[in-house]
Structure formats: structure tokens, C-alpha cells
Amino acid sequence: EVQLVESGGGLVQAGGSLRLSCVASGFTFDDYAIGWFRQAPGKEREGVSCIFFLDGSTYYADSVKGRFTISSDNAKNTVYLQMNSLNPEDTAVYYCAADPVGVCRISGTLYTGMDYWGKGTLVTVSS
């Protein structure tokens, strides 16, 4: 059974940093893509970042480029999202998701239709 468990969320002041973790079980990374997504209150879920393990490609939403970094520890089956220079607009529930076909983007947009999803971790950035 595929499971994804996020952790690392919390309350941080604007300008601060957090590192989110996504521990995966039930599969090995191999050809998968794993993405980070977020959903703020009253807004649609949006893609934040994605990593495609076959070639190590990484992708970011324009709103987080230069501030967020996606990485992985394959030995621990864990994907991280390092978030720096946080601002109140980053406040959201953050989810990780996995796609077994390795799709990170469709038509240049981060793919939100991945097959497997975690339950999310809340990030709150105070001003």
C-alpha cells in the first residue's frame, strides 16, 4: 500500500524558514515523480515543486523559485521541501503526492492529478 506522510509544518514569522518532509512507503522512487502542493483557505490546490527521480529533474512554481528547494534522500524514501524567506502568502496546508508514471508537469504547469496523496501539514506564516 502506498503511503505518504508529511511533517515539518508549523508557525513561523515572515522571513523565516521551514523544512517539510514527506516519507514514502509501499514503493520505491525509481520512475516516480513526487510533488509538493499547497492549498490556502478559500483557494484551489496549486503545485509548488516536483522532482522526477529517473533523471533528477526538478520543477518549481514561479511564486517559490529561488526560495524553495526540493530534494530527496532515497535511502530514507524521503522527499524534502526547504522553504526560505517565507511570507504570509505561503500560508497553506502543504501536501506531497506521488505519480507512478513520473509526470511532473503538463503544458508547463505542475501536474495536480497525481495518484497518491498524503494528508498534509499546515504551514502558517505570520507577518
Side-chain angles (χ1 to χ4, degrees), residues 52-116:
F52 175 44
F53 287 94
L54 189 62
D55 63 7
S57 299
T58 58
Y59 305 92
Y60 297 92
D62 288 343
S63 59
V64 306
K65 278 181 184 175
R67 300 190 298 124
F68 291 10
T69 302
I70 191 169
S71 64
S72 69
D73 184 335
N74 291 17
K76 295 182 178 179
N77 254 33
T78 301
V79 175
Y80 303 100
L81 185 69
Q82 178 67 44
M83 306 187 297
N84 299 328
S85 302
L86 286 161
N87 58 63
E89 289 70 38
D90 296 315
T91 294
V93 177
Y94 283 71
Y95 303 87
C96 68
D99 185 89
V101 184
V103 177
C104 264
R105 293 189 304 179
I106 292 181
S107 300
T109 301
L110 290 170
Y111 177 52
T112 59
M114 293 190 174
D115 286 358
Y116 306 104

Side-chain angles (χ1 to χ4, degrees), residues 11-16 86-91 124-127:
L11 174 64
V12 64
Q13 288 188 332
L86 286 161
N87 58 63
E89 289 70 38
D90 296 315
T91 294
T124 304
V125 185
S126 63
S127 57

